[in-house]
Amino acid sequence: MHDKTLTELAAGLRAKEFSSVELTRYFLDRIARYDGQINSFITVCADYALQQAQAADQALANGDAVSLTGIPLAQKDIFCTDGIRTSCGSRMLDNFIAPYDAGVVERCSGAGMVMLGKTNMDEFAMGSSNETSYYGPVHNPWDREAVPGGSSGGSAAAVAARLTPVATATDTGGSIRQPASLCGITGLKPTYGRVSRFGMIAFASSLDQGGVMARSAEDAALLLNVIAGFDERDSTSAEQTVPDYGATLDETLAGLKIGLPEEYFSDGLDTEVARIIDAAVDEYRKLGAEVKAISLPNTGLAVPTYYVIAPAECSSNLSRFDGVRFGYRCENAVDLEDLYKRSRGEGFGAEVKRRIMIGTYALSAGYYDAYYLKAQQLRHLISDDFAKAFEEVDVIMGPTSPTVAFNLGEKSSDPVSMYLSDIYTIAVNLAGLPGLSIPAGFVGSRPVGLQIIGNYFNEARLLNVAHRFQQVTDWHLRAPQPFAD
Ligand code: GLN
């Protein structure tokens, strides 16, 4: 059952081979049996899920079902859910119950999907290893000594371990693609504005984007069909029509122009990872694609640019957590200042505090021009690199991450080396482009992801390019052993 695709699950529900309640129980049982080993969920909402499943069964019986009605999913715990805790991986929101659903959650429920629970994540989505979560780290299902990547490590691990068919996630600097790569699954970060940010707890608003995690590009396309689209409650939401992402998956790749940026294959890239990416690119040659070398000359500026812009925006966004309006409040405050200081001091973890301090500094009078303004200028140069590249090629390919999953604890005391694990993903967020990671091989037991970057609103082409690869390879079908049965 847990290896069925979304299309197979939808067909099984319609043919009455199983009901949505049975399917939901099946995945809830798997979570109960296995999640103790990987810690991928912060909250499991069994009663809520079974109620949604009953309603879905009713809709199926009445002929009111749409394509994914009755299919379970997991939501990253950054998306607000009405009546169910939304912690964002933080002690600050450990007691927070939102009074409304995020746009993404509303669309999933509106399509009759069943929410199994809320997945673990780095605190406020700040991290690349899931080790900054207040709820403890997630373990990589392929090797429990290894990190799953972050910040959407819970969603990635839950999909990889077959605890849910699909999951939502968010990506500010790589948090969908990097954990997808490290956990051997398919993850798509859409174009900025493609998916509503309404009710998605803000980290860095000009970079944050919701997206999907699945085992295959086909499943990712079907979930993207549900969550993509304009939302007037998000002022940066794009008023663009949403194509049927499932309709063009099989299109030929003959004549597809692939660019390989020389900067993505230089120092710092693990040689085994490089070999696997080369082999994946060869598969594309066999599928009829033309491959050419390109340059994205400002790639080296992406990480430093991001680590000014993202902390600056986070320091502003997180100022709302003051111990007064929502979330954690310290005990026995002596006055208002003490309340602010201790609530924030006790409610936030170390990485979040580091970002708030960097951001506050970068935005302060006298430093704004030197840091924030400069970073905005560099952001333009980085976007221009991509614009020039897309005059010559249709998609850009390279590794998602310079290494396979590292060990738990290996980088937690060295923030700069942690930040560098997003070196190939961050520029895509700065430019607002769509990007995807698909499984392309293994180094030992640890998966390697191929990153595919497209032009604005070209998600359909990315999914098509990924799908054709998955028809001639089986990396995406492999399951981590302890969770295979
Ligand atoms: N790892 C990056 C960071 O810590 C990106 C996180 C993300 O995409 N949410 O900021």
Side-chain angles (χ1 to χ4, degrees):
M1 189 78 111
H2 52 269
D3 276 326
K4 285 194 196 308
T5 66
L6 293 190
T7 305
E8 287 165 351
L9 290 175
L13 286 167
R14 278 181 177 64
K16 299 204 169 21
E17 283 165 31
F18 43 82
S19 67
S20 175
V21 167
E22 285 165 343
L23 185 60
T24 301
R25 282 222 166 88
Y26 178 84
F27 281 103
L28 288 170
D29 287 349
R30 278 186 70 80
I31 295 169
R33 179 162 157 216
Y34 287 121
D35 201 43
Q37 296 179 45
I38 57 173
N39 195 28
S40 65
F41 281 86
I42 291 174
T43 301
V44 178
C45 45
D47 293 342
Y48 182 86
L50 290 166
Q51 273 170 27
Q52 284 193 316
Q54 258 166 18
D57 281 331
Q58 198 60 53
L60 283 154
N62 297 345
D64 294 337
V66 289
S67 67
L68 300 187
T69 298
I71 294 182
L73 91 164
Q75 297 281 2
K76 183 175 179 179
D77 207 17
I78 198 168
F79 289 104
C80 286
T81 43
D82 189 356
I84 292 164
R85 175 176 62 174
T86 301
S87 76
C88 218
S90 182
R91 182 182 194 195
M92 184 57 91
L93 291 179
D94 184 49
N95 62 3
F96 176 60
I97 298 191
Y100 59 86
D101 279 337
V104 162
V105 174
E106 201 178 73
R107 279 173 179 269
C108 292
S109 300
M113 296 189 78
V114 173
M115 182 170 78
L116 297 168
K118 311 283 300 283
T119 56
N120 203 344
M121 55 181 284
D122 279 302
E123 185 178 6
F124 285 101
M126 298 172 198
S128 307
S129 66
N130 224 293
E131 292 168 294
T132 73
S133 170
Y134 175 60
Y135 302 90
V138 175
H139 296 260
N140 191 314
W142 290 95
D143 182 343
R144 298 198 323 106
E145 298 288 296
V147 302
S151 65
S152 315
S155 286
V159 170
R162 277 76 174 148
L163 306 188
T164 178
V166 283
T168 60
T170 62
D171 192 313
T172 302
S175 281
I176 292 178
R177 291 157 290 155
Q178 186 256 18
S181 173
L182 272 43
C183 288
I185 61 160
T186 302
L188 169 70
K189 174 230 174 272
T191 308
Y192 183 76
R194 176 79 295 184
V195 168
S196 170
R197 290 188 299 109
F198 175 77
M200 188 177 111
I201 294 175
F203 160 14
S205 311
S206 75
L207 300 159
D208 298 339
Q209 185 57 200
V212 296
M213 286 185 161
R215 294 198 309 273
S216 68
E218 184 184 345
D219 284 358
L222 297 181
L223 183 57
L224 186 62
N225 276 344
V226 173
I227 68 166
F230 177 65
D231 183 346
E232 63 182 11
R233 298 164 300 182
D234 166 6
S235 62
T236 56
S237 170
E239 232 176 321
Q240 291 245 359
T241 49
V242 181
D244 175 357
Y245 295 108
T248 46
L249 291 170
D250 288 318
E251 279 183 6
T252 175
L253 302 189
L256 176 80
K257 293 199 188 68
I258 298 174
L260 301 183
E262 59 179 271
E263 294 80 5
Y264 285 31
F265 293 85
S266 57
D267 295 349
L269 177 61
D270 179 273
T271 52
E272 289 289 292
V273 172
R275 191 181 52 72
I276 287 166
I277 299 303
D278 286 346
V281 171
D282 276 340
E283 282 299 337
Y284 278 104
R285 286 197 180 88
K286 287 189 216 150
L287 288 165
E290 294 165 25
V291 178
K292 67 186 281 184
I294 59 165
S295 174
L296 298 170
N298 293 298
T299 297
L301 298 174
V303 170
T305 301
Y306 174 90
Y307 279 100
V308 173
I309 293 175
E313 293 185 16
C314 112
S315 69
S316 166
N317 274 325
L318 271 59
S319 63
R320 74 191 67 181
F321 303 107
D322 56 6
V324 176
R325 286 167 293 183
F326 22 51
Y328 180 79
R329 177 179 296 174
C330 68
E331 282 182 13
N332 307 321
V334 294
D335 57 20
L336 189 60
E337 185 153 333
D338 184 46
L339 175 81
Y340 288 156
K341 277 189 181 158
R342 282 203 292 117
S343 298
R344 287 167 69 79
E346 294 163 20
F348 289 136
E351 183 61 27
V352 171
K353 286 181 195 159
R354 174 167 22 236
R355 307 273 180 117
I356 292 173
M357 286 192 283
I358 296 171
T360 305
Y361 179 82
L363 291 177
S364 54
Y367 293 110
Y368 180 92
D369 288 357
Y371 296 108
Y372 191 71
L373 195 67
K374 190 56 113 193
Q376 293 291 17
Q377 289 163 343
L378 297 180
R379 187 173 185 174
H380 272 282
L381 296 179
I382 290 163
S383 300
D384 289 349
D385 281 358
F386 283 109
K388 285 201 193 87
F390 284 123
E391 286 169 12
E392 292 179 58
V393 299
D394 303 312
V395 294
I396 294 170
M397 284 187 191
T400 305
S401 179
T403 63
V404 292
F406 42 93
N407 284 341
L408 285 154
E410 192 179 322
K411 298 191 180 180
S412 25
S413 55
D414 181 357
V416 173
S417 102
M418 186 75 89
Y419 296 170
L420 287 172
S421 63
D422 295 318
I423 189 155
Y424 306 132
T425 50
I426 272 181
V428 173
N429 300 74
L430 290 167
L433 292 164
L436 164 156
S437 181
I438 50 172
F442 291 84
V443 176
S445 63
R446 301 187 184 185
V448 173
L450 169 74
Q451 184 176 209
I452 315 175
I453 302 164
N455 213 339
Y456 298 105
F457 297 101
N458 238 341
E459 288 81 5
R461 188 59 162 160
L462 285 185
L463 289 161
N464 155 235
V465 170
H467 177 69
R468 293 302 298 252
F469 182 81
Q470 292 182 338
Q471 288 184 312
V472 294
T473 58
D474 66 357
W475 305 113
H476 65 293
L477 299 176
R478 307 213 184 168
Q481 248 331 298
F483 309 98
D485 306 327

